[in-house]
Amino acid sequence: MASAQFSQYKDLIAEGDLALIWISRGNIKAVTIDAKETFNTRYGSFPHKDMIGKPYGSQIAIRTRGGTGRFSFVHVLQPTPELWTLSLPHRTQIVYTPDSSYIMQRLGCGPHTRVIEAGTGSGSFSHAFARTAGHLYSFEFHPVRYEQARLEFEEHGLLAENVTITHRDVCEDGFTIKKGDTTSQEFAEGGADSVDLNADLVFLDLPAPWDAIPHLDDVITKTDRAGVCCFSPCIEQVDKTIEALEKNGWSSIEMVEIQGRQYESRRQMVRSVEDAMQRCRDIKRRKVEGIEKKKRLIEQDRLDKENKDAAPRKREPLTEKSQFNPFGKGTRVKEGDPNFQWKQVTKIEAEIKSHTSYLTFAYKLVDKSRDEAAVQQYLDNLAA
Amino acid sequence: MASAQFSQYKDLIAEGDLALIWISRGNIKAVTIDAKETFNTRYGSFPHKDMIGKPYGSQIAIRTRGGTGRFSFVHVLQPTPELWTLSLPHRTQIVYTPDSSYIMQRLGCGPHTRVIEAGTGSGSFSHAFARTAGHLYSFEFHPVRYEQARLEFEEHGLLAENVTITHRDVCEDGFTIKKGDTTSQEFAEGGADSVDLNADLVFLDLPAPWDAIPHLDDVITKTDRAGVCCFSPCIEQVDKTIEALEKNGWSSIEMVEIQGRQYESRRQMVRSVEDAMQRCRDIKRRKVEGIEKKKRLIEQDRLDKENKDAAPRKREPLTEKSQFNPFGKGTRVKEGDPNFQWKQVTKIEAEIKSHTSYLTFAYKLVDKSRDEAAVQQYLDNLAA
Amino acid sequence: MDPLSRIAFEQYVMITLPSEKCKIVQMVPNTTVSLGKFGAFNVNDVVGYPLGTKFEILYDDETVEAIEHDKRVKAKSDKAGVKVIVGKVKVLEPSVKRDEGLENVGNSENNRELIDMGRDIQKMTTEKIESLKKQSTSGNEIISKIIESHGTFDKKTVFSQEKYLKRKKQKFDKQFTVEYLSSSFLLQYLIDKGDIQRILDMSEESIGMLLNLANIRPNGTYLCMDETGGLLTYFMLERMFGGDENTGAEGKIVVVHENEHANLDILKYSNYSEAFIKKHVLTISILDYFEPTTVEELQKEFTPLSREAVADLKSGAKNTYFRKLKWYKIHVQEIEIATEWQFDGLVVASTLHLPTLLPMLGKKVHGSRPIVCYSQFKETLLETAHTLYDDLNYLAPTIQETRCRPYQSIRGRLHPLMTMRGGGGYLLWCHRVIPADEPELVVIEP
Amino acid sequence: MDPLSRIAFEQYVMITLPSEKCKIVQMVPNTTVSLGKFGAFNVNDVVGYPLGTKFEILYDDETVEAIEHDKRVKAKSDKAGVKVIVGKVKVLEPSVKRDEGLENVGNSENNRELIDMGRDIQKMTTEKIESLKKQSTSGNEIISKIIESHGTFDKKTVFSQEKYLKRKKQKFDKQFTVEYLSSSFLLQYLIDKGDIQRILDMSEESIGMLLNLANIRPNGTYLCMDETGGLLTYFMLERMFGGDENTGAEGKIVVVHENEHANLDILKYSNYSEAFIKKHVLTISILDYFEPTTVEELQKEFTPLSREAVADLKSGAKNTYFRKLKWYKIHVQEIEIATEWQFDGLVVASTLHLPTLLPMLGKKVHGSRPIVCYSQFKETLLETAHTLYDDLNYLAPTIQETRCRPYQSIRGRLHPLMTMRGGGGYLLWCHRVIPADEPELVVIEP
């Protein structure tokens, strides 16, 4: 069921929509809204019918299980390529937003851009390309993944818009899409038997891009300059890629790394020096008092022993526990507890993505001929 | 003139001392204190005699030239390896503190460590090694640089303490220091003809460390584990280095990069939204007033024309300049000006050192035999 | 000529130079463009070639002519009145590798022979080089000759070789590329010019990520504060329309500004017409946006007449009427924008106090739509993130940083560039959400 | 046996495992050390070898014996009461490369055949592997056999191959290395244990740079606040004495703490004797440091007697006297430290309010000596830097960050590790200086 969930802004949550349910930062789930269904979390169940008709972005609340009087919440969001990327399972190899957005920016992706992407992989980058580009030709060599992605793209409305996906080993067989290929491309009866890709942006996320590069000449634009980005984890792959790019007439070769970092806003307790000193004074005072008390007790014991008939005394602890605890030591202080002072701090993720891949960029201008006629005409008009 | 300026803490600035004069963050100069000399800056001259006898760290003040009543300051510091590094001219290839301190830490540099360094280069790392290590053997293949460094190390008191510098192409000729070599090492008459380096920490800052690595077996410790760090700018050098290390029986090979960043504490003006709104209101009000004034003037003109004898009027500007300027627009506001509100921010250097070199670490344990006798003796004593 | 694919007359283009500096030049017919020490060329000689073409300036005796420095595209670096020699241009062949000179040189592994190689080692005089330059010699040829004449070149370390060649290349190479003035190139130009503060220290990677996180699409309606003189707006327009006025996309950007008029100066370099910009970029002052006047109040100043009444007006009065009607319609639209419009995204690059500003602007954003705020300083975003975190209308504010680290991408000498610009800014990203009422109390049977 | 170069009885050592985890173990004679799933060995079998030796645990029928889990060095991960089989140890030859298994495998360039290879593809059962493990087979042998039996191994991508092998290696490799418990290893151990907060998120590179910036030397007297349970103090001691009590160096560290007693628990793992630590690490509470009592007040409690008077005391009274004299001397030294000592450096790792704390401690530092303050958060140091910047007693405070980025260092597959720990903290560095009086007015002749 193709919907335009990724290409049109929607106001209200409706039956049949693909929606993202945000449970927490690291837990975002894709669901298809179905009035008969319920979305289950460990905190409780959220019936879809409570979502339908509400605006996207709505918080949905239920009482938690067991009737403790507490509430549980989720937010229902309309998917965007970036949220979709966050919702994918972590084990999938994903081109993350810091990389994908830089590649799109640097290669000038816009409504006119005709993009080649190989391979499709998890399809996360495909969604971002599809949002912006004129057309996306995505290639996937793994048959099962191809089928999964084709289905997903169809459900997400991408195939109906501006995406073509083709099952292909581009390293072996290049990028040309012909009638009879395993592809989402439809060929009209009596129409052309192959597609003129005419690509001006190429993204190669392949283990051996150097095998695919020689095939690019057949499919890149002849009139404009084409740009390529090869996405490779190892530096040795970069070296072989540069070699292939140079051999095949690509220029302005530059490799870069993108380092994305994410910070949470947190609070650190402000612990004043005077409070720390006061705590020390308090400890000292109680220690002195304890010694004096002990002296008194020893004296008392001596007297008691002399007077054997005295009733046994209840012993009190020698040192009293302090009431002065400015930093909440030994108690559980919640970050931001208004009984304490706090300083705002940024905290980086506990585990960072220290490396995704190297990005090797290059450009090629196939036809460098001049449009002499147009120039002459303009100048003639000017002179006239 | 050997002094212990780098190995002893000094209290007072004294004649003959090597001192660092801090003019500004990027401008630190080394001078030898000489009562007859003057330290000249573009802001004025500082006689050394004003410094002598003062504690290190003293600020020295003079009136600036021209008698404007303003003052000029410098600080006189005792050199440390880190300050010395900062005082070196930027064009010199220097191992900076983030790299040098990590190498020392990772390879466990301490009072027992016997260090090999090749090449000496600017000598900045040598100073840091000399502070901590038991002995430093530094090798430099360039004759002029060797001579410069030997002289500097002597003046800084390093040769008298724990440093030996040798003129040598270690890639060709290895690390063994023998009588007759061009070296700061002194050989006693009738003593040994060569030095037992017995190094357990090796730092190779050479274009081709792979040529030096095979020579290391002759000079590293036989009883302990030795560690090496190769400092190479290009990744291809790392690859050849790893190959050589593996071939020569080094293990636990790991390459890392160190990224050092420096931030200044700065202030950004807090510009309140209400002030911005108020500015807009002010502009609007003055515009309306201007229109009204214009209307009045036109009317006045008409009346004037009717009454031709009237004296000519001085025209006032139609819109008055506003007195409300909450953000000091058009004026020079000094950062931190108490008439405005400020937010503390960190600002990174305008130009960062995005890469220094790759650091390849490896370890080698030559003799893996066991001290059986000692173990047995201990166990026997225990049983007895 | 399609100004998106071919160099066209009157178009603003970016010219990149061997020094990696760039300049913006308008392709005015029958004029000359001077690249200072790199030479000069005639506009008519390059128009009609594809954008992205790399040219080399050639000099031979026939074509050399002295010209006054072109006044319309005056480059700051050129001294006024200096005569520049205009050369012919030649399209460079694709087989030319960037650093061929370097690859042909036997490089040694040490630098024993060199401590300070200075000018004295170099056997070729600057005069000789200048004369070579005036002959029909390409930059690479000149550099090869310099290398030959440089006695100790192969004794230098890899690094000093590279540094040396780069310096020489920048000095004598007469190549230049004519590029489409993309948003990224415009940014690079402003950075090269030293306008870092004017563009709030933005980097290409930060702004690229901002556009993706804000989900900018051709058909969206976006609320924006742009304190970069229009740069941010230009980036958005490029994503939405790609330099083309005829895509049919209906997207709009409402730019809220804090002065009498919005400063979007940078848009003058774009290929968009004024009319197109007026249609898709609507500006409104922060006062008119947050304290809009009412239609009733507007009508105190002016009331639209019925069609019949207008027809009855005299010619002069009719003109006045239509002028006032235009003013009235603009203000009615402003009121609509301020009171009725909901947005598909909020994008902010402002130095106003963000913890107050963002919640005010955020109210205008539709549920589930992203909010992205750029700042030069992380500390500012931290404060803002805390404010938004405590507000149930915003979901999961996080601070994002992205940094691009370019490499010297020469085979055999791969390494990250030794120095690069610090800074680049930070992004705050969250989504507008709609808090739930407390669910009804369901009485559980005892 | 020199505990700095050879594994010695009773010494605490670090044992690093194939999983890259590590544990601290004391080499108690005649006991056994269990490494959980990696096996177990007898302490007596490894003592006497050089520190840094890599061992492999071997099993054959003669040596296998079941033992109760060793109680003295209990590893959390082992279930109590589980029987562990103790193997023989063999010193590994230097020629063994870390990832030899991987290098022998023909790797394919694509992963067409694999979408989710799961357990079903693997022909060797876990039982088979476990039985191999109990035979005299090395970890590398086991892994080779797993690869052979893994039908689709050479069809995996480089990455999935590596991930797979690493997982397998961690599971079946029985190698371990016995290391000297250096400060860096101790830090790594605490990080692995998850004690990140306890050590204020310090990284090795941050603490290494702290030591250099603070100019730590064997003979200096340093003022220190150490909220890391003694870790920072241990790092300083290592730089000053290198694990050796007999270097003759006289350096001292004064640790100011905010409790009744300083928490330097971590020092118990060191090779330094209690007496040595007592001599070189002096502790004083923040109260006693900033509000010291006076000798006069001390003498209200106790007054030292003349030598003759002491000689006259009875045996019992003499003991009491000497006990009190010791107490008195400690407190006199405390007063001296608080009132007279000037320091060669100030090193702070504290979560107290640094903008108040640092100027209080900074007063005690000699001119020209460095001050280095560690914090987990840059924001805290920013505030502190502003305070110090406005104080003429401190020169040029800057905030420093250093991050180590390790690579997968396998030839042909070089790349930075895909993930690593964030954090690592920041340093504030400045020097103590002495502001000048205004220079005398020199009247310039008119």
Side-chain angles (χ1 to χ4, degrees), chain C residues 69-281:
Chain C
H69 185 265
D70 173 37
K71 260 129 200 140
R72 288 185 61 180
V73 275
K74 191 164 182 173
K76 271 187 190 165
S77 56
D78 303 335
K79 284 147 212 148
V82 167
K83 303 222 173 186
V84 176
I85 297 162
V86 181
K88 280 185 171 171
V89 296
K90 177 191 145 200
V91 174
L92 272 169
E93 286 313 303
S95 63
V96 175
K97 270 194 277 176
R98 282 205 304 176
D99 287 75
E100 207 165 34
L102 191 61
E103 308 244 308
N104 297 334
V105 174
N107 69 302
S108 78
E109 301 293 8
N110 69 51
N111 57 354
R112 180 197 308 221
E113 296 307 323
L114 286 152
I115 191 159
D116 182 6
M117 51 132 241
R119 281 155 204 283
D120 48 355
I121 320 180
Q122 191 180 312
K123 296 190 189 102
M124 188 181 273
T125 62
T126 307
E127 289 72 38
K128 180 89 188 291
I129 291 164
E130 284 300 323
S131 89
L132 267 175
K133 198 174 156 190
K134 278 172 197 158
Q135 293 163 33
S136 176
T137 314
S138 76
N140 274 332
E141 277 179 65
I142 296 180
I143 287 167
S144 297
K145 287 192 181 161
I146 293 171
I147 290 170
E148 278 167 32
S149 74
H150 192 311
T152 54
F153 186 86
D154 62 348
K155 303 242 174 64
K156 290 158 80 68
T157 58
V158 176
F159 283 95
S160 45
Q161 279 178 22
E162 273 161 20
K163 232 190 261 168
Y164 180 81
L165 281 182
K166 199 170 171 191
R167 219 166 49 223
K168 288 293 163 203
K169 209 170 169 58
Q170 287 175 10
K171 229 168 160 177
F172 304 111
D173 206 340
K174 294 164 304 178
Q175 300 174 358
F176 67 95
T177 309
V178 181
E179 307 271 9
Y180 171 68
L181 186 52
S182 69
S183 46
S184 288
F185 272 127
L186 189 52
L187 174 66
Q188 196 192 317
Y189 168 75
L190 293 166
I191 291 171
D192 285 352
K193 249 183 78 187
D195 278 3
I196 307 285
Q197 280 316 308
R198 184 181 170 199
I199 55 164
L200 306 179
D201 200 21
M202 271 191 190
S203 65
E204 183 184 7
E205 56 273 24
S206 289
I207 206 164
M209 189 147 114
L210 174 147
L211 297 174
N212 273 33
L213 291 179
N215 193 28
I216 301 300
R217 292 181 191 168
N219 284 309
T221 308
Y222 304 106
L223 186 59
C224 171
M225 282 199 77
D226 177 0
E227 220 175 275
T228 64
L231 182 71
L232 175 57
T233 308
Y234 188 48
F235 269 86
M236 292 172 76
L237 289 174
E238 284 292 276
R239 279 283 169 104
M240 294 164 77
F241 307 103
D244 184 0
E245 306 196 351
N246 305 309
T247 60
E250 285 295 324
K252 283 187 168 35
I253 307 172
V254 171
V255 177
V256 180
H257 58 87
E258 48 166 310
N259 290 303
E260 201 173 346
H261 305 287
N263 172 9
L264 301 170
D265 289 355
I266 283 170
L267 295 185
K268 75 176 177 217
Y269 294 122
S270 74
N271 285 315
Y272 305 108
S273 67
E274 247 180 78
F276 181 84
I277 293 174
K278 220 167 212 161
K279 187 179 164 203
H280 294 280
V281 182

Side-chain angles (χ1 to χ4, degrees), chain A residues 231-274:
Chain A
F231 192 75
S232 308
C234 296
I235 195 81
E236 291 85 356
Q237 293 171 302
V238 173
D239 182 65
K240 289 184 81 168
T241 300
I242 295 177
E243 184 184 23
L245 289 169
E246 284 176 347
K247 268 194 197 152
N248 286 278
W250 293 76
S251 61
S252 298
I253 300 166
E254 188 183 52
M255 184 268 274
V256 309
E257 262 185 294
I258 298 293
Q259 301 188 309
R261 298 285 179 266
Q262 190 173 309
Y263 302 88
E264 267 186 89
S265 50
R266 299 287 293 272
R267 290 180 175 91
Q268 190 193 24
M269 191 189 287
V270 179
R271 298 173 59 239
S272 92
V273 176
E274 180 46 35

Side-chain angles (χ1 to χ4, degrees), chain D residues 31-46:
Chain D
T31 63
T32 301
V33 172
S34 160
L35 304 175
K37 61 187 171 188
F38 302 106
F41 64 90
N42 290 316
V43 166
N44 294 8
D45 290 347
V46 302

Side-chain angles (χ1 to χ4, degrees), chain B residues 77 86 181 201 207 231 239 286 323:
Chain B
L77 303 179
L86 287 183
D181 290 343
L201 195 169
F231 192 75
D239 180 64
R286 282 181 293 115
Q323 298 302 312

Side-chain angles (χ1 to χ4, degrees), chain B residues 25 112 224-225 263 370, chain D residues 5 44 179 222 244 398 401:
Chain B
R25 226 179 266 271
H112 279 287
D224 298 341
R225 186 169 52 173
Y263 302 89
R370 190 182 192 187
Chain D
S5 57
N44 294 8
E179 307 273 8
Y222 304 107
D244 183 359
T398 53
E401 177 187 347

